[in-house]
Amino acid sequence: MTVTAEVQKGDCLELLKNLPDEHIDLIYLDPPFFTEKVQKLKTRDRTKEYSYRDIWGSHQQYGEFLFQRICQLKRVLKN
C-alpha cells in the first residue's frame, strides 16, 4: 500500500479546479457546520490561536457553499 500526501493550502474549490476528473482515491470532508459563531482554537502549548468565521447569513448561502465544493469533489473522485 502506498500512501502519498501533498499539503495544499487555500479554498478547496479553487484547488479542485486544477485537478483532472477521477484523480483522487479518497476524500475526507470536514466542512464548517453552520454554527453561526466565530470558532477559536489554541495550539496545545497555547502559543497560537486560530479562528474562522462560521457565519453564513442564510441556509441558502451555506448550502450553495457546500454544493459547489461537493460537485467538484465528486468530479475528481475515482469510481
Side-chain angles (χ1 to χ4, degrees):
M1 176 178 174
T2 302
V3 176
T4 305
E6 182 180 328
V7 176
Q8 295 186 14
K9 294 182 181 181
D11 185 340
C12 71
L13 186 59
E14 295 304 315
L15 297 171
L16 287 165
K17 289 178 182 177
N18 298 319
L19 295 177
D21 294 354
E22 298 184 14
H23 183 72
I24 303 294
D25 293 310
L26 175 71
I27 295 172
Y28 172 80
L29 187 61
D30 186 14
F33 290 102
F34 197 76
T35 61
E36 294 296 288
K37 297 178 182 176
V38 174
Q39 302 294 328
K40 295 181 182 179
L41 177 67
K42 290 187 178 183
T43 56
R44 288 183 187 196
D45 65 4
R46 310 197 69 69
T47 59
K48 293 183 184 178
E49 181 175 277
Y50 297 93
S51 68
Y52 70 92
R53 291 175 40 88
D54 189 19
I55 300 171
W56 300 93
S58 73
H59 286 95
Q60 290 79 16
Q61 287 177 331
Y62 179 66
E64 183 62 28
F65 171 87
L66 291 178
F67 181 77
Q68 290 175 2
R69 285 149 183 82
I70 290 170
C71 287
Q72 287 298 311
L73 291 167
K74 182 179 184 313
R75 180 187 63 76
V76 301
L77 187 62
K78 292 179 182 177
N79 288 330

